[in-house]
Amino acid sequence: MLLVAGVAFAAPAPTVAFKTIEAAQSDWSDKTPPASGWTPVKLPDDWSRRWGGFDGVVWYRLTFAAPGTTGQAALMIDYWSLAGAVWLNGSLLYQDASLVEPLSRSWNVSRLFYLSPPTLVVGENTLLIRVSGLSAFQPGLGGVMAGDAVAIQAYFSDIEFLRHDIPVFEIAFTLALAIFFLIVWLLRKSEVGYGWYALMSLAWAGYSINQIATSTWPLNNTNSWSRINMIMFMLCCVAFFMFTMRFCERRFPRLEQAVLASFALATVWMLLSSDIATTRIALSMLSLILYLAACIAFLVLTRKVRRLDVIALNIVNFIVLLGAVHDILLFIGGLPGTLYYFPITTQLRVVSMAFVLAWHFVASLTRIERFNQELVDKITVAKQELALTLREQHEMALSNTRQAERMSLLHNLHDGLGGTLVNNIALLERKPKRFGSDRFLSILKELREELRIVVDTSTGQNNEPQSLAEWLAPLRSRYVLLCENRDVTCDWHLAGLENRYMPSRYSRELMRMLQECVTNALKHAEPRNISIALRVEDNFLLMRVEDDGRGFDVTKPGSGIGLEGLKTRTRRLNGTLSIDSQPGATVIEAAIPLPT
C-alpha cells in the first residue's frame, strides 16, 4: 500500500520492499551524500518535524533487492519537496533544473523511471535522492515504490491524472468562466455578482497554478512565490464571500467593509512578514474561516428558498467544506502527503456556480424576450389606437377646415358682396329717382367684381403678388363713387404703397378690412366725411379709417359680425387693432407687419 494525502491507494503487485530508508542533512553546495549522520526514516517524510527550521539539502538513501519480475521493472517517486535529483547505483536518473534558489517546484510532481541493466543490478541496489527544501514548505520525500513496470505505470497514470490533468483542466475552465462573466459584468455593471464571481475565478486560477508550476518564474525566489500565491488564495475567499452576499441579494455594508479592510491588512502582513510558515498558516486558517462562514451564511440566508439551483449549491458547498477540512489538516501537518482535495472539490463548485449563473443569465434573457414580446404587443395595440386617433383627428381637422372655409366665405360675402348690396339698397331706398339704367348697370358690374373677388378668395386663384396700390385701386374707385352717390366726402391718403408687394392673401385680407370699416360707417354712422389713410413705416403697414358720424359704444358686447370679422382678420395678419368711437369722431387704427 502507498499512502498519498492520507488516503491508502492500492499499490501495484508485485512491489519491492526497501531494506533500509535513511536520511542525512547536507549543505546546499554538497554534490555527494555525507559519510555520517544517517537516520532511519519512514516515507513519506517531512523533515521539518525532525529538524525544525532547517533550510537546505537532505539526502535519502534507500536499498532494495532487484525486483523479481519477468517483464521490465519501474521505479516511481511520489514527490519531493521542493527540488531534487535521483541516482540509482551511482547513475543519474533525473535532476530538476534548479536545486538552489529559485528552487524548482516538484512538490506535486510524481516521477516514473523504467529500470534495466546495467543501471539496475542483480542483488542489492542503492537509490540516492537529493532533496533541496525550505522548512516553511513541508520539505521532504514522498512515497517510493519499485516493481513491475506495467502495474506501476497504471498507478502512475492515476496519480498524474489527479495531480496534473485535473488542475490543468480546472485552470483552463476557470479562466474561461472568469473571462466570460467579466465581460458580462463590464457590459452590465449593475450585475455586481458576476463581477465578484469573475474576480473569484481569476484569483482561484492564479492560486491553482501552484499545483502545476515547476518554477518560480516570473518571481526570483520561493518565498516571493508563496506570498503571491497566498494573496491569491485570500482574494479568492474574499471574492467568494462578496459573491455570496450579492447572489443572496443581501448587503451588509459595515461587514463587507471590514472584510475588504482585513484583506488589505492581511496582504500587507503577508508581503512584509519574515516568518513565512507561521504567517501562511494563520492567514490560510483565517481565509478558510471566511470561506466557511460564507458557505454557512449562504445556507442560512437561503434556508427558506426551495429553488433547485439553491439546493444544488448548498450540497456542493457541503462537499467543498469536507474537502477544505481535509486540506487544512494536510496543510498544518495533521495528515501526511501532498494531494489536496480542495482543487478537486472546488472544480465541482466552479461547474455548479457556472451552471447556476448561466441558468440565471438564460432566465434573464428569457424575461427580456418575454418583455420584448409584451412590448411588441403593446406597441401594436398603441399603433392601432394611434391610427384610430389620427383618423379621428384627421376627420375633425377636415371638419374644422370646412367650417373655417364656410366662415371665411361668410366674412367675404358679408364684407364684400353683402356690403355693396346693402349700400346700394340703402341708396336706392333713399333716392330712387336718381337711379337710371347706367347706374343699375354700374351696380351690377360692381356686384360682379365683388363676386369675382369672393370666388378667387375661396378657390385660391389669382395668387400672383401685386403692389398694395394696385390692389387698392379698384376698391378706392368704387368707394369714392359710392360715397359721392350718398353725398359723403371720401378722402384717401396713401404713402409708400407703390413698391410694396404682398401675397394675395394679405392683400385680400387688408382689402376686406377696409371694406368693413367703410361699409359700417356708411351703414350705421351717417357720416358726412370719411378719411382713409395707409402708409408704410418701419416694415409695418399702418391703416387709419376715420369718420364724423354718430359713433357707437365700443364697450358694448356683441358688436356684430362686421367688427368681429375685422378683429379676426387682424389676428390672421398678426396685427394689432384699436377702435375709438364717440359722437362726431370714430377712429379705427390697425398696425400690420409686412411679410419678409
Side-chain angles (χ1 to χ4, degrees):
M1 304 292 285
L2 181 64
L3 193 66
V4 180
V7 179
F9 286 83
T15 58
V16 174
F18 293 98
K19 294 181 179 180
T20 60
I21 304 176
E22 301 171 298
Q25 293 176 281
S26 181
D27 294 331
W28 289 103
S29 58
D30 288 346
K31 304 297 182 183
T32 58
S36 60
W38 292 94
T39 301
V41 296
K42 292 183 178 180
L43 299 182
D45 176 57
D46 178 359
W47 82 57
S48 63
R49 299 183 181 183
R50 181 171 53 257
W51 300 311
F54 175 69
D55 296 338
V57 174
V58 170
W59 290 82
Y60 290 89
R61 184 170 63 193
L62 296 81
T63 59
F64 64 96
T69 61
T70 57
Q72 186 178 23
L75 171 70
M76 176 183 165
I77 301 176
D78 189 32
Y79 66 90
W80 53 61
S81 180
L82 289 168
V86 56
W87 293 263
L88 179 61
N89 297 322
S91 297
L92 180 65
L93 298 181
Y94 177 82
Q95 177 177 307
D96 278 327
S98 179
L99 299 179
V100 295
E101 283 286 16
L103 293 170
S104 296
R105 301 184 60 78
S106 296
W107 69 276
N108 199 38
V109 180
S110 297
R111 308 290 180 185
L112 176 66
F113 308 101
Y114 293 100
L115 306 179
S116 59
T119 303
L120 183 67
V121 300
V122 177
E124 186 173 283
N125 292 266
T126 301
L127 184 67
L128 283 175
I129 303 174
R130 181 188 188 276
V131 178
S132 301
L134 303 174
S135 60
F137 306 104
Q138 296 178 329
L141 179 64
V144 180
M145 67 170 56
D148 179 70
V150 175
I152 292 180
Q153 169 64 50
Y155 181 76
F156 173 80
S157 297
D158 293 339
I159 298 299
E160 186 75 359
F161 175 76
L162 291 174
R163 286 186 173 160
H164 182 269
D165 296 348
I166 288 181
V168 168
F169 171 78
E170 179 196 12
I171 293 172
F173 185 72
T174 303
L175 283 176
L177 289 176
I179 294 173
F180 173 77
F181 286 109
L182 178 62
I183 293 174
V184 172
W185 175 71
L186 290 175
L187 295 177
R188 189 176 176 83
K189 294 293 184 63
S190 60
E191 299 290 347
V192 182
Y194 289 132
W196 283 114
Y197 181 81
L199 180 60
M200 178 190 72
S201 299
L202 289 173
W204 180 251
Y207 172 75
S208 298
I209 290 176
N210 188 55
Q211 302 286 324
I212 61 174
T214 56
S215 72
T216 61
W217 185 89
L219 305 175
N220 58 4
N221 60 72
T222 302
N223 285 340
S224 296
W225 177 275
S226 180
R227 294 178 198 274
I228 299 301
N229 191 247
M230 180 52 61
I231 291 173
M232 290 292 103
F233 180 73
M234 293 189 298
L235 179 60
C236 176
C237 293
V238 170
F240 176 74
F241 172 81
M242 298 298 293
F243 165 75
T244 300
M245 297 299 102
R246 296 298 175 269
F247 185 85
C248 296
E249 298 180 350
R250 299 296 181 90
R251 287 184 178 272
F252 303 95
R254 293 184 178 179
L255 176 60
E256 293 171 5
Q257 292 173 4
V259 169
L260 295 176
S262 299
F263 168 71
L265 293 174
T267 299
V268 174
W269 182 18
M270 188 70 235
L271 292 174
L272 301 180
S273 176
S274 58
D275 188 355
I276 296 293
T278 303
T279 304
R280 286 175 69 236
I281 293 175
L283 294 181
S284 297
M285 296 299 296
L286 292 175
S287 299
L288 283 173
I289 289 173
L290 177 64
Y291 182 89
L292 299 178
C295 293
I296 295 173
F298 183 86
L299 180 62
V300 173
L301 295 174
T302 60
R303 65 185 183 279
K304 295 182 179 180
V305 180
R306 296 296 180 265
R307 292 204 319 261
L308 181 61
D309 57 333
V310 174
I311 296 174
L313 284 180
N314 279 322
I315 294 175
V316 170
N317 282 336
F318 180 75
I319 296 174
V320 174
L321 286 176
L322 294 180
V325 172
H326 169 272
D327 290 354
I328 291 173
L329 295 175
L330 187 65
F331 183 77
I332 63 177
L335 291 175
T338 62
L339 184 60
Y340 287 88
Y341 287 168
F342 203 61
I344 302 174
T345 55
T346 51
Q347 184 63 34
L348 179 61
R349 174 179 58 82
V350 168
V351 173
S352 62
M353 288 289 187
F355 172 75
V356 170
L357 290 178
W359 185 5
H360 286 195
F361 184 73
V362 172
S364 299
L365 290 179
T366 302
R367 287 195 298 271
I368 292 173
E369 292 174 352
R370 188 182 303 115
F371 171 78
N372 289 339
Q373 185 59 46
E374 293 176 355
L375 186 61
V376 169
D377 295 340
K378 290 181 179 179
I379 290 175
T380 302
V381 174
K383 288 172 64 177
Q384 295 173 350
E385 294 176 351
L386 179 60
L388 179 60
T389 302
L390 290 176
R391 187 163 55 252
E392 293 175 351
Q393 290 180 348
H394 174 71
E395 293 174 354
M396 184 179 296
L398 186 60
S399 175
N400 291 337
T401 301
R402 290 170 180 168
Q403 184 66 25
E405 290 176 350
R406 293 190 186 100
M407 291 301 298
S408 177
L409 180 59
L410 174 63
H411 284 298
N412 288 331
L413 290 173
H414 174 272
D415 296 342
L417 187 61
T420 302
L421 282 173
V422 168
N423 287 326
N424 284 285
I425 291 172
L427 184 60
L428 181 61
E429 289 177 344
R430 294 176 60 184
K431 300 178 180 180
K433 295 181 179 181
R434 296 179 56 182
F435 279 79
S437 59
D438 293 339
R439 179 54 183 157
F440 276 110
L441 180 61
S442 177
I443 291 173
L444 291 175
K445 289 181 179 180
E446 186 178 347
L447 292 175
R448 181 192 63 188
E449 292 300 322
E450 289 294 341
L451 182 60
R452 180 179 298 168
I453 292 174
V454 171
V455 172
D456 290 344
T457 302
S458 301
T459 60
Q461 300 297 320
N462 193 24
N463 290 324
E464 295 80 5
Q466 298 181 12
S467 68
L468 289 174
E470 293 173 335
W471 270 99
L472 295 175
L475 183 67
R476 178 179 180 181
S477 176
R478 290 199 304 271
Y479 273 102
V480 168
L481 179 61
L482 180 62
C483 289
E484 288 179 355
N485 292 332
R486 302 188 65 169
D487 296 327
V488 176
T489 300
C490 183
D491 296 326
W492 288 73
H493 305 279
L494 307 179
L497 304 184
E498 293 79 7
N499 298 321
R500 288 291 178 171
Y501 289 84
M502 298 176 65
S504 57
R505 182 176 68 86
Y506 281 80
S507 300
R508 281 194 296 268
E509 294 287 359
L510 177 61
M511 186 178 66
R512 293 306 184 193
M513 291 174 66
L514 287 172
Q515 283 182 315
E516 181 62 29
C517 292
V518 176
T519 300
N520 283 341
L522 294 175
K523 181 179 179 181
H524 302 291
E526 298 181 357
R528 302 305 303 169
N529 297 285
I530 296 176
S531 176
I532 302 171
L534 291 104
R535 73 179 189 277
V536 175
E537 184 178 307
D538 297 332
N539 209 35
F540 275 83
L541 175 64
L542 303 180
M543 182 188 76
R544 178 184 175 92
V545 179
E546 183 177 0
D547 69 77
D548 57 357
R550 61 188 178 188
F552 63 95
D553 185 3
V554 297
T555 63
K556 183 179 180 180
S559 302
I561 190 171
L563 290 182
E564 287 301 319
L566 186 63
K567 295 176 183 178
T568 300
R569 294 183 192 279
T570 305
R571 285 195 298 269
R572 283 205 291 259
L573 296 177
N574 298 319
T576 59
L577 179 70
S578 66
I579 302 175
D580 182 27
S581 181
Q582 56 187 343
T586 297
V587 179
I588 300 175
E589 293 182 317
I592 300 171
L594 294 175
T596 56

